[in-house]
Amino acid sequence: MFQAIKTLNRPFVFVFFCFLSLSLFATEPGTRTKECSKLEPGVPAEFLLSRGLREQVDGFQAAQRRKPEDSKLSFERSVSFLESYHLCLLEAGKEPSALSAETLSLNYLELGSLEKAWEWSEKAISQSPEVSKDQILLQTRIRIRQGELAKASEVLENSLYKFPNDPDFLYLLGNLNFERKLWNQSILYYTALSFVIERRDTHSKYKFLTAKALGELNYKLDHPKIAIKRYGEYITGYKNDIEVLFRLAQIYFVLGDFKHCRMYLEQIREKNPRDIDASHMLAEIYFMDSRDSAPIYFATLRKEKKIPKEGIVFLLDKLISGSKTGLETKLRSYIQENPGRLSPRVALLELAEKEKLSDYEILNADTAQYAYEYRQYLTAEKILRSGLSKINSKENADEDKSLYYEKISSCQEMLGLWNHAVMSTKESLRLTNETEKKFRLRFRLAYLYLQGNLKKESHAVSVLSETIKENPNPTHYYLRGLAYFQLSKYKESVDDFTAAIKIDPNNFNYYFYRATAFDKLKQFSDTESDLKTTLSLNPNASNAMNYLGYLYAEKDINPDEATKLLNQAISLEPDNPAFQDSLGWVLYRKKDFNRALLHLNFAASLALERGFEDPVIYEHLGDVYLAKKDPVNALQFFKLSESKLKAEPNKDLLAKIKKLQKEISE
């Protein structure tokens, strides 16, 4: 993965050729002066610098020609010339120049003298009026060669605000943090780089590498749909990357989208007919999702001699071909040895149904649970409904039916089928007579009313109010407090969170959400107090850090504390766009505009990556550009913010747009 080292491990060639001739500097015979003890009379010290640079160029050229010994000798000669040059400067009472120090540092890096390389890179920076990109990248390379990846990241991060859109910086930071297994930090920089590529550098050498990295990172961080999008961008340039095609098949399998999973597996088989893994995975997909086509596919595998003599594909082939002798024992043994596999459980359940095995109900429940845990929600629901149909024939089975409907509701919830989940929960509630179960199901029903686009907060309040009369549980007060909050009944929301706190005073969530309600009521001291209590109960409550830091920024108070809180929040969740926006806003309030832009652009790119565009972030970007006296960019972001507003128009924003339009037109 660490391709950045290879990409950036190229010579910093200084195009500096001083063709000096001794006669050029000659004066009348007998009048030449000796400038340095290392030189003949009349020869300037810069002669040594030019020779040092020339030898360095020769060293890089020899390395490119794969002549390591010649390269080493050239770098050593370059060091010798530069050391003599520095001695001449010392005799004249001068310090080494930024150029000579940087050149010497690079020589030592190539020779493997890393401590000296770092020492001279520091000298180069101290002699420069402004730190250059090359100096920062040089120090980064030294830290990487030392194996100090954290320090290499620190070098880049400390100067990133000066080069916020530099692809080399962002790519290196993404790669370094990937190597350190800091996935959230890595995704921050790769997402920002993608943002730069799309808007500023569409033909970037990093385009496909970035797409692949974002695919892998989003896969690791369980953002499967974004991973699909990014991997899809990558394979437009690298259509034959079997590893990525297989990863796409895996993601679609996890999402329960067997159609697309089959598509990528079939592509792999077409590109590499001898690929066994894809062929066998495709066999399991056909078995679980397309039983009508499965016999044809297994016949194809037999013809290709890809049915092994043991293992899951062998067992599935036996079941499909009707060879059941000893199959139950073999399947149970395979499941015991491979408890994480779903297809053998589905196969055993099918066999149990056909053979009317006595433990069918247990197998049905277990298989459905495994399917659910593996996010195969459609498969899980199908299994549960099959089990439910068997229970229907039993007497006095209402409690069992209730449990099945509750589980079916969970599958429907995960599929985003909110109305179906509500109906299944209601049916589960109707069938049970157990008091505790009724309380649990009422809570679940109220929770579902608050999800998706149902907009049934009043229904949730009604269900919870009935439940609270019988069982004043803190979680019931808490959920009703959230429902009141969504209904904009903030006083009632505060009352319910307060009731929950009285019963369970150590639950930090209750204080946090009460703080949000206090904030809506414009009770700042109560809001601040509850947020501080949240942090005292849970020092890692990043949402409370962000909320309190942003409040301080909005009120122009405690700027240092606000910055500290938001930096802590970002250290916990660096890829959270809301946190990056808050820090950007604090820095804007402190008039640190370049750093503010850096974090606000992080926020904008992260939000876009997650599939939404936040008008608040765009307005903040406009405010920063306005403060930097850049009305054109300010107007662009104000208009973008206004276009993304879903509620009623923002009068302040419209006023800023109107004012800027007038200023620009004059």
Side-chain angles (χ1 to χ4, degrees):
M1 182 63 200
F2 207 178
Q3 299 161 4
I5 297 176
K6 292 182 180 179
T7 304
L8 295 174
N9 191 13
R10 60 178 186 271
F12 292 87
V13 180
F14 299 98
V15 185
F16 186 85
F17 297 98
C18 299
F19 295 103
L20 300 176
S21 170
L22 295 181
S23 62
L24 181 65
F25 301 99
T27 58
E28 291 296 323
T31 63
R32 297 177 185 174
T33 59
K34 191 175 178 67
E35 185 173 316
C36 172
S37 62
K38 292 286 184 179
L39 294 167
E40 294 297 321
V43 179
E46 281 67 25
F47 170 76
L48 296 169
L49 175 61
S50 69
R51 287 299 307 275
L53 290 166
R54 179 66 261 177
E55 290 292 349
Q56 186 185 78
V57 171
D58 290 345
F60 283 122
Q61 290 176 344
Q64 289 173 349
R65 294 193 300 269
R66 298 185 180 181
K67 295 183 176 181
E69 291 302 321
D70 290 349
S71 177
K72 181 182 177 184
L73 286 172
S74 290
F75 286 126
E76 288 174 344
R77 284 195 292 266
S78 180
V79 167
S80 178
F81 279 119
L82 290 167
E83 286 178 343
S84 295
Y85 173 64
H86 290 157
L87 182 61
C88 289
L89 292 178
L90 182 63
E91 289 177 2
K94 299 178 182 178
E95 290 287 324
S97 68
L99 174 61
S100 64
E102 186 176 345
T103 306
L104 189 52
S105 172
L106 185 53
N107 285 333
Y108 280 129
L109 174 61
E110 295 301 322
L111 291 169
S113 300
L114 302 180
E115 291 301 323
K116 288 185 177 180
W118 181 261
E119 177 187 339
W120 281 101
S121 73
E122 289 280 81
K123 177 69 76 172
I125 289 173
S126 70
Q127 294 298 105
S128 300
E130 188 173 349
V131 181
S132 71
K133 172 183 172 179
D134 283 348
Q135 289 170 342
I136 297 165
L137 291 176
L138 173 57
Q139 288 205 324
T140 303
R141 292 179 64 211
I142 295 168
R143 289 305 193 199
I144 290 171
R145 286 279 296 276
Q146 290 174 328
E148 299 279 4
L149 300 190
K151 289 183 178 179
S153 295
E154 186 179 345
V155 169
L156 290 165
E157 286 167 348
N158 287 341
S159 297
L160 186 58
Y161 73 97
K162 298 177 182 177
F163 307 92
N165 298 311
D166 189 281
D168 293 336
F169 276 47
L170 293 170
Y171 183 73
L172 265 172
L173 280 165
N175 227 328
L176 285 165
N177 283 285
F178 192 100
E179 285 295 305
R180 296 168 64 198
K181 295 182 170 52
L182 300 176
W183 313 129
N184 298 82
Q185 196 77 18
S186 181
I187 208 171
L188 165 69
Y189 295 118
Y190 274 123
T191 301
L193 175 55
S194 175
F195 202 61
V196 169
I197 290 170
E198 288 173 13
R199 285 156 180 77
R200 295 171 179 262
D201 190 12
T202 53
H203 299 290
S204 172
K205 62 186 176 182
Y206 298 126
K207 182 175 181 179
F208 293 111
L209 292 171
T210 300
K212 185 178 183 181
L214 283 170
E216 191 162 351
L217 286 163
N218 279 291
Y219 175 75
K220 288 178 181 293
L221 293 172
D222 200 23
H223 302 305
K225 292 183 179 179
I226 303 176
I228 287 170
K229 174 178 176 286
R230 291 304 189 177
Y231 276 136
E233 292 170 359
Y234 169 74
I235 61 173
T236 61
Y238 295 86
K239 294 180 173 61
N240 295 320
D241 191 324
I242 300 298
E243 181 184 347
V244 169
L245 292 174
F246 195 78
R247 177 57 57 79
L248 279 164
Q250 289 177 312
I251 295 171
Y252 277 117
F253 177 82
V254 168
L255 291 174
D257 186 342
F258 294 129
K259 177 183 175 182
H260 283 93
C261 180
R262 286 202 306 270
M263 180 185 79
Y264 283 108
L265 291 172
E266 285 164 356
Q267 282 186 32
I268 294 171
R269 276 175 52 80
E270 182 181 343
K271 294 175 187 298
N272 183 11
R274 290 183 291 182
D275 191 292
I276 295 295
D277 291 336
S279 297
H280 286 179
M281 185 176 179
L282 194 52
E284 293 186 66
I285 299 297
Y286 270 110
F287 173 77
M288 289 192 292
D289 184 57
S290 185
R291 291 306 303 277
D292 292 339
S293 305
I296 299 171
Y297 180 73
F298 274 83
T300 301
L301 287 186
R302 285 195 291 273
K303 184 178 178 181
E304 295 174 354
K305 297 183 179 180
K306 289 181 181 175
I307 302 290
K309 294 183 179 180
E310 57 183 13
I312 185 57
V313 175
F314 169 78
L315 296 175
L316 296 180
D317 183 50
K318 291 294 182 186
L319 180 63
I320 287 172
S321 62
S323 178
K324 301 175 185 175
T325 305
L327 189 56
E328 178 191 345
T329 302
K330 290 179 180 178
L331 280 169
R332 291 184 188 274
S333 176
Y334 186 89
I335 290 169
Q336 189 173 5
E337 294 172 4
N338 303 274
R341 296 290 286 274
L342 180 58
S343 59
R345 293 178 181 276
V346 174
L348 181 59
L349 182 63
E350 181 179 320
L351 186 66
E353 186 174 9
K354 289 179 179 178
E355 300 296 305
K356 295 182 171 34
L357 299 182
S358 59
D359 61 346
Y360 171 79
E361 282 189 34
I362 296 172
L363 290 172
N364 181 281
D366 286 349
T367 306
Q369 183 62 33
Y370 270 88
Y372 183 87
E373 289 175 0
Y374 281 89
R375 299 198 288 194
Q376 304 301 308
Y377 305 120
L378 286 171
T379 301
E381 183 179 355
K382 181 180 177 182
I383 291 168
L384 289 166
R385 289 197 180 278
S386 177
L388 184 61
S389 67
K390 305 293 187 297
I391 292 175
N392 283 334
S393 62
K394 293 172 62 177
E395 294 183 6
N396 302 319
D398 282 355
E399 291 298 338
D400 287 343
K401 292 179 185 178
S402 175
L403 181 59
Y404 269 85
Y405 276 113
E406 184 179 1
K407 290 181 177 180
I408 288 170
S409 171
S410 295
C411 295
Q412 293 165 333
E413 176 195 345
M414 299 309 295
L415 291 166
L417 303 172
W418 306 110
N419 279 313
H420 289 79
V422 165
M423 289 188 288
S424 295
T425 302
K426 284 182 175 179
E427 185 63 11
S428 178
L429 186 58
R430 184 185 68 80
L431 289 166
T432 187
N433 289 314
E434 297 177 6
T435 302
E436 289 300 319
K437 189 174 180 181
K438 281 182 179 289
F439 291 149
R440 184 178 78 236
L441 288 169
R442 284 179 188 168
F443 182 87
R444 173 165 176 72
L445 183 60
Y447 161 80
L448 289 169
Y449 279 140
L450 299 177
Q451 303 309 307
N453 58 355
L454 291 182
K455 302 296 182 184
K456 293 185 177 180
E457 294 88 351
S458 297
H459 288 64
V461 169
S462 178
V463 169
L464 289 165
S465 296
E466 179 186 351
T467 306
I468 286 170
K469 289 177 185 177
E470 302 174 45
N471 182 24
N473 187 294
T475 58
H476 296 151
Y477 280 115
Y478 164 69
L479 191 60
R480 193 173 69 173
L482 292 177
Y484 277 132
F485 188 92
Q486 291 187 24
L487 288 166
S488 299
K489 294 184 177 181
Y490 304 120
K491 177 65 171 62
E492 291 86 345
S493 181
V494 165
D495 290 342
D496 271 356
F497 291 132
T498 301
I501 288 169
K502 285 181 180 177
I503 301 170
D504 183 5
N506 294 319
N507 190 311
F508 64 90
N509 277 317
Y510 301 161
Y511 292 96
F512 176 78
Y513 285 103
R514 188 172 70 172
T516 65
F518 275 136
D519 185 34
K520 291 293 185 180
L521 293 169
K522 302 189 183 306
Q523 296 177 215
F524 174 72
S525 60
D526 292 321
T527 304
E528 182 184 33
S529 176
D530 271 1
L531 290 172
K532 286 183 174 180
T533 302
T534 303
L535 289 169
S536 69
L537 292 170
N538 179 14
N540 292 321
S542 55
N543 55 353
M545 296 171 190
N546 175 66
Y547 207 121
L548 186 55
Y550 189 81
L551 280 179
Y552 284 155
E554 280 288 276
K555 293 186 175 295
D556 274 330
I557 60 173
N558 304 333
D560 293 336
E561 180 66 14
T563 305
K564 177 184 174 184
L565 285 165
L566 291 168
N567 277 319
Q568 286 178 325
I570 285 174
S571 71
L572 295 168
E573 294 182 50
D575 59 336
N576 188 313
F579 295 1
Q580 292 288 349
D581 173 64
S582 295
L583 181 56
W585 192 239
V586 167
L587 292 167
Y588 162 75
R589 294 284 195 172
K590 295 174 74 173
K591 302 188 185 309
D592 191 346
F593 300 134
N594 288 337
R595 285 188 173 87
L597 279 179
L598 174 68
H599 290 282
L600 289 171
N601 276 311
F602 281 161
S605 61
L606 288 166
L608 198 61
E609 182 79 345
R610 301 291 192 271
F612 68 94
E613 293 181 85
D614 190 335
V616 173
I617 296 172
Y618 290 140
E619 185 176 2
H620 287 169
L621 277 164
D623 287 328
V624 177
Y625 278 116
L626 189 60
K628 285 172 65 69
K629 303 188 186 311
D630 184 348
V632 174
N633 272 315
L635 181 59
Q636 175 192 344
F637 281 107
F638 286 148
K639 283 184 173 181
L640 193 55
S641 175
E642 196 272 334
S643 71
K644 302 302 175 184
L645 286 172
K646 295 179 180 178
E648 59 186 44
N650 181 330
K651 293 181 181 179
D652 291 339
L653 178 60
L654 291 173
K656 285 189 279 192
I657 291 172
K658 186 176 179 180
K659 182 180 178 182
L660 277 176
Q661 285 175 327
K662 183 179 179 181
E663 288 179 5
I664 291 172
S665 64
E666 289 177 351

